[in-house]
Amino acid sequence: MEYPLFLALDASGAAIVGDQDSPAIWKATSDGTVTKLFQASRQFRTPLNRPKGVAIDAEGNAYICDPTTMDVYRLGSDGKPVGLTGKPIKELNGKPGVRGEIIQPEGIAVGPDGTVYVADLKLHTIFRLPKGSKTPIKLATVDAPHGMLLDADGSLVVVSHGESHLVRVKIADGSVTKILPGRLEGKLPPFPLSVAKKADGVYLVTDNYNKCLWAVDKGGKASLFANPPDFKKVTGVGVAKDGKIAVADPASQCIHWLSPDGKIVGRSPKS
């Protein structure tokens, strides 16, 4: 791994990781094993040239944001990325490329009906993309949205760089409410990027500048959850069914594995 940014955990508890600099998609397990699922081209505006947010659907397919092609991709067991909104284009240098319908896709989630939800960082917008459609539909306005998840009640929980660092978007009407009453507070100005949810209902939010994980309880109260010296950067996060936590650390070029109480218990790759 060169620069693993974001991840999602599949049904087995393995982390599906977007590596921005390789560029590649990896599968990492808590025993330290790392397997490459897809090697992208370094040519600009080619599929998954700069992978960002990752989500997994009920069938185990990965959905991955790629701002260089302004598109999101489905990556199945055949290892071939399928663009959901993009069309072939020809670059000024004559080389082929792709351009989609989402300006800067950053975060992504997939509903049980196959609807894909995408956070567009540039447009401050959450889009929904119905299954089989190539046309994103605006769902809500969220200031500088980053990572997000689909919650148990069917709403979206979105990391924002607006007045509240964590907001909820109701899918039925696009209404936005604050989960955090305000912004996180750390030694440095926080830079939250991703969110995951523990079995007890607590949200975990990555903070890249303070190199930590924050816990946000059901009442919207934030507290420091994990800040080990091993953390060099903290960008992506996911929680497995057994409670184990995966954290992407691009500066350490690895995925850290944490116990349910926030102690580091392993890394992928091992060294």
Side-chain angles (χ1 to χ4, degrees), residues 99-161:
R99 179 166 182 169
E101 299 294 325
I102 302 167
I103 301 300
Q104 193 173 346
E106 181 82 3
I108 192 165
V110 186
D113 63 352
T115 299
V116 177
Y117 301 92
V118 185
D120 189 320
L121 180 61
K122 179 73 172 179
L123 297 181
H124 306 279
T125 298
I126 306 299
F127 288 104
R128 63 182 177 89
L129 186 65
K131 186 175 182 179
S133 173
K134 282 184 166 289
T135 305
I137 301 167
K138 182 175 180 178
L139 174 64
T141 297
V142 174
D143 291 332
H146 286 267
M148 63 182 181
L149 61 80
L150 186 69
D151 214 346
D153 65 358
S155 65
L156 295 168
V157 176
V158 185
V159 174
S160 167
H161 285 198

Side-chain angles (χ1 to χ4, degrees), residues 210-212 226-234 249 251-252 256 258 262-264 267:
N210 287 291
K211 306 174 185 178
C212 70
N227 185 28
D230 303 65
F231 282 179
K232 304 304 180 188
K233 284 182 178 287
V234 184
D249 183 344
S252 298
H256 298 291
L258 279 63
K263 305 295 190 298
I264 288 183
R267 60 173 281 164

Side-chain angles (χ1 to χ4, degrees), residues 209-270:
Y209 286 178
N210 287 291
K211 306 174 185 178
C212 70
L213 284 176
W214 296 98
V216 180
D217 66 19
K218 297 175 183 178
K221 182 180 179 181
S223 59
L224 186 64
F225 178 76
N227 185 28
D230 303 65
F231 282 179
K232 304 304 180 188
K233 284 182 178 287
V234 184
T235 52
V237 63
V239 179
K241 291 180 180 179
D242 64 1
K244 194 170 289 184
I245 302 160
V247 177
D249 183 344
S252 298
Q253 298 181 313
C254 76
I255 306 302
H256 298 291
W257 294 94
L258 279 63
S259 63
D261 61 352
K263 305 295 190 298
I264 288 183
V265 294
R267 60 173 281 164
S268 304
K270 290 182 179 179

Side-chain angles (χ1 to χ4, degrees), residues 5-229:
L5 268 181
F6 299 108
L7 58 82
L9 299 190
D10 66 14
S12 72
I16 308 302
V17 185
D19 183 336
Q20 179 177 272
D21 286 0
S22 286
I25 308 302
W26 302 89
K27 180 177 181 179
T29 54
S30 59
D31 65 0
T33 303
V34 175
T35 306
K36 187 180 292 184
L37 301 180
F38 177 74
Q39 176 63 62
S41 169
R42 293 185 184 273
Q43 181 184 324
F44 188 64
R45 290 206 191 285
T46 54
L48 298 176
N49 174 252
R50 300 284 278 181
K52 293 278 189 164
V54 183
I56 308 292
D57 70 10
E59 297 176 353
N61 299 302
Y63 291 75
I64 307 153
C65 298
D66 177 22
T68 66
T69 57
M70 304 182 188
D71 204 359
V72 294
Y73 292 85
R74 181 177 63 250
L75 186 67
S77 58
D78 62 359
K80 298 178 181 179
V82 177
L84 302 189
T85 75
K87 298 177 181 178
I89 62 169
K90 183 175 285 188
E91 296 291 336
L92 293 176
N93 60 11
K95 292 184 178 180
V98 175
R99 179 166 182 169
E101 299 294 325
I102 302 167
I103 301 300
Q104 193 173 346
E106 181 82 3
I108 192 165
V110 186
D113 63 352
T115 299
V116 177
Y117 301 92
V118 185
D120 189 320
L121 180 61
K122 179 73 172 179
L123 297 181
H124 306 279
T125 298
I126 306 299
F127 288 104
R128 63 182 177 89
L129 186 65
K131 186 175 182 179
S133 173
K134 282 184 166 289
T135 305
I137 301 167
K138 182 175 180 178
L139 174 64
T141 297
V142 174
D143 291 332
H146 286 267
M148 63 182 181
L149 61 80
L150 186 69
D151 214 346
D153 65 358
S155 65
L156 295 168
V157 176
V158 185
V159 174
S160 167
H161 285 198
E163 293 181 357
S164 169
H165 274 152
L166 197 64
V167 301
R168 187 180 303 279
V169 176
K170 192 174 181 180
I171 289 175
D173 59 8
S175 59
V176 180
T177 55
K178 296 178 181 179
I179 296 176
L180 271 171
R183 298 166 67 87
L184 296 165
E185 296 182 3
K187 292 181 180 179
L188 297 173
F191 198 85
L193 287 172
S194 298
V195 60
K197 190 178 183 180
K198 297 175 63 187
D200 59 4
V202 171
Y203 300 108
L204 298 178
V205 180
T206 62
D207 182 346
N208 198 27
Y209 286 178
N210 287 291
K211 306 174 185 178
C212 70
L213 284 176
W214 296 98
V216 180
D217 66 19
K218 297 175 183 178
K221 182 180 179 181
S223 59
L224 186 64
F225 178 76
N227 185 28

